[in-house]
Amino acid sequence: TMPTDQATRMARTYLVFAVALFLPCVAASTLLTSRWSAVPQAPPDPILGVATAYNADPSPEKVNLGIGAYRNADGKPIVLRCVREAEKKIATDETAMKEYLPIQGLEAFRQVTSQVIFGADAPGVKEGRIAVVQSLSGTGALRIAGEFIARYNVGTTVYISDPSWGNHHTIFQRCGLQTKKYRYLSPTMGLDIDGMLADLKAAPEGSTFVLHTVAHNPTGVDPTKEQWKQIAEVCKERNAVLVFDTAYQGYASGDLEGDAWALRYFANELNMELFVTQSYSKNFGLYGERIGALNVQCKDKTTADRVLSQLKTVVRPMYSNPQLHGARLVSGVLADPSLKTLWNQELKEMADRINTMRTALVKALEEIQCPVPGEQFKDWHHITRQIGMFAYTGLNEQHCNVLTDKYHIYCTKNGRFSMAGVNPGNVKYIAEAVKDAIASV
């Protein structure tokens, strides 16, 4: 029989040996398995995912009708001439530094951006009643607005058109806000004004209404001036918080002033308090610069100053301060009369090309006697009645799958075409593909 102390020593030895063998296995297992291995794969973005699929397609016939970015008649991206000239001036200005901007953004930009949307002589602008923060384009402006609304209009529900830009619901929901839809589009691709007004009237007092300033995304269907006046009456009746989302001013029609009519009616004529987002992605072609603004019109300057102070507390922990280069470009163009004139000219050129392609697509569809996408349609002229970047064609998901799988034409599954992707070289190809897609489903 082994003495007790000797047995104890041997047991300890075996234990140490076993641990020495076991620990490396545990360590190896830990190295092979990520602590994040249970994280699920997110679905591709329904809009940006279209561009990813398009870029991966080697077909020489492929057409991108998905993402909303301008292309010229040759299907190529461009940099506006006014932007090129502004960049030259910045590059040769040895006093231009790369310091941090204030939380609220570049002062020169903040001073001019509200004039672009409200008008230089707008009462809110002249009286200093508009709180302005530079933002990460329109998306960032919406997020700042959402965070502020969630903090100071507690319990509000955000009403968003059906359909709307795919990111609207997500942005406000991430701010902790509940979202609902209001009717917007009729079966024949016109405005369902009766349904819209009924849904807004049924909203609780103090609800938040998201409105598209011009060139509704994704439909391209806008209210008439008389319909906007009806909408304004309901907004006043419900004491609603208004968010005008502005992505296409000037790009929709080529007329900056005309495209701002709805917002200016609410803000300048009715003197309503409201939020206005701005994006300079489309109308300046500054997609990658992420330059935009959030404007909040208030009843008096003292309130606007307090609102600005709180908007800054939203921005500071989110991204601290905005980027510099895009703000310099926009403010530089707007401060130079010759460059501003050139910008207006280029806006008209872009808008005219888009409108020309709307007409050309409808003509191509009619020439080949393409059937309409549904029995509710008499013809294809809903495409030319719409404005802005997109055409809401009426095609369904099955039609779109045929376009992509057979013809390498990429668009979102709701039948939205980015008209910037249509050009004289591909318009007949697109029309023939649409005819086949409708016949195949």
Side-chain angles (χ1 to χ4, degrees):
T1 302
M2 187 179 297
T4 301
D5 58 342
Q6 185 178 356
T8 300
R9 286 196 300 272
M10 291 187 67
R12 289 173 177 171
T13 301
Y14 286 130
L15 179 60
V16 170
F17 181 70
V19 170
L21 289 175
F22 178 71
L23 282 179
C25 296
V26 173
S29 175
T30 301
L31 289 173
L32 291 173
T33 305
S34 169
R35 69 169 68 241
W36 312 119
S37 59
V39 174
Q41 180 70 35
D45 183 273
I47 297 175
L48 300 181
V50 174
T52 301
Y54 169 83
N55 291 333
D57 188 341
S59 172
E61 295 181 321
K62 65 182 180 179
V63 179
N64 187 358
L65 302 180
I67 195 167
Y70 183 77
R71 298 292 182 265
N72 64 16
D74 297 320
K76 303 297 183 183
I78 66 168
V79 176
L80 298 187
R81 300 187 298 278
C82 65
V83 170
R84 290 290 194 203
E85 292 303 314
E87 286 185 317
K88 291 176 183 177
K89 294 174 69 174
I90 293 170
T92 56
D93 182 359
E94 295 189 1
T95 67
M97 296 293 107
K98 299 291 187 181
E99 296 295 306
Y100 289 123
L101 285 179
I103 297 171
Q104 66 270 27
L106 184 69
E107 187 61 27
F109 171 79
R110 292 176 61 246
Q111 288 179 0
V112 295
T113 190
S114 58
Q115 296 178 25
V116 171
I117 186 63
F118 289 91
D121 294 326
V125 171
K126 296 174 73 173
E127 296 163 15
R129 296 189 283 109
I130 302 173
V132 185
V133 288
Q134 182 185 331
S135 64
L136 304 182
S137 202
T139 305
L142 285 165
R143 183 59 185 266
I144 298 168
E147 295 288 349
F148 182 91
I149 291 168
R151 186 185 298 178
Y152 293 104
N153 194 28
V154 178
T156 189
T157 297
V158 180
Y159 286 78
I160 297 168
S161 66
D162 181 19
S164 192
W165 180 47
N167 219 9
H168 273 148
H169 285 275
T170 304
I171 290 170
F172 288 102
Q173 288 169 2
R174 290 296 175 89
C175 297
L177 295 165
Q178 181 184 8
T179 64
K180 290 185 177 181
K181 298 177 181 179
Y182 60 82
R183 283 171 284 177
Y184 192 84
L185 193 66
S186 73
T188 55
M189 301 297 155
L191 179 65
D192 181 5
I193 186 62
D194 293 334
M196 179 182 183
L197 293 175
D199 288 348
L200 296 182
K201 285 179 181 178
E205 185 175 351
S207 295
T208 299
F209 297 162
V210 176
L211 304 169
H212 297 232
T213 304
V214 69
H216 182 276
N217 180 3
T219 69
V221 175
D222 285 359
T224 65
K225 290 182 179 180
E226 289 306 312
Q227 289 169 337
W228 272 120
K229 291 177 180 179
Q230 291 178 275
I231 294 166
E233 288 304 310
V234 176
C235 292
K236 289 192 294 183
E237 174 190 315
R238 304 316 301 144
N239 191 26
V241 174
L242 303 181
V243 179
F244 277 84
D245 191 14
T246 314
Y248 301 100
Q249 185 190 359
Y251 185 96
S253 68
D255 178 5
L256 280 167
E257 311 305 315
D259 286 352
W261 185 90
L263 176 278
R264 293 181 184 181
Y265 175 74
F266 282 69
N268 301 347
E269 291 193 39
L270 302 182
N271 194 30
M272 297 177 73
E273 293 190 301
L274 41 74
F275 293 76
V276 187
T277 70
Q278 290 174 279
S279 167
Y280 289 99
S281 294
K282 309 298 191 299
N283 57 13
F284 260 89
L286 297 175
Y287 306 99
E289 300 295 347
R290 310 309 295 147
I291 176 64
L294 173 64
N295 305 261
V296 187
Q297 174 160 292
C298 304
K299 291 293 187 184
D300 56 80
K301 185 180 185 304
T302 300
T303 302
D305 290 342
R306 290 201 301 267
V307 168
L308 177 59
S309 74
Q310 292 298 334
L311 293 175
K312 289 162 65 176
T313 71
V314 173
V315 170
R316 177 59 170 156
M318 189 183 297
Y319 56 87
S320 197
N321 48 16
Q323 57 81 28
L324 175 60
H325 189 62
R328 277 180 172 163
L329 290 173
V330 173
S331 59
V333 169
L334 295 177
D336 185 315
S338 63
L339 292 184
K340 186 176 181 180
T341 298
L342 178 58
W343 177 48
N344 279 275
Q345 175 187 329
E346 292 182 283
L347 276 174
K348 187 71 166 57
E349 291 170 358
M350 290 191 291
D352 285 351
R353 197 190 86 73
I354 296 296
N355 290 331
T356 298
M357 287 299 100
R358 285 184 184 278
T359 302
L361 179 57
V362 171
K363 181 181 179 182
L365 291 166
E366 291 178 336
E367 284 179 348
I368 60 174
Q369 298 182 334
C370 178
V372 291
E375 61 183 12
Q376 70 272 34
F377 296 99
K378 295 180 179 179
D379 51 42
W380 286 96
H381 287 274
H382 57 280
I383 290 177
T384 49
R385 287 192 294 268
Q386 299 164 4
I387 64 170
M389 176 74 78
F390 303 110
Y392 216 54
T393 62
L395 298 174
N396 61 33
E397 183 173 348
Q398 290 73 31
H399 296 143
C400 295
N401 287 338
V402 173
L403 292 180
T404 300
D405 297 341
K406 187 173 180 179
Y407 292 95
H408 308 275
I409 296 173
Y410 292 83
C411 64
T412 53
K413 300 300 183 182
N414 58 6
R416 186 195 79 169
F417 284 7
S418 172
M419 292 306 299
V422 183
N423 61 61
N426 65 21
V427 64
K428 291 185 177 181
Y429 176 74
I430 294 170
E432 292 284 358
V434 169
K435 181 178 181 179
D436 184 53
I438 291 173
S440 301
V441 174

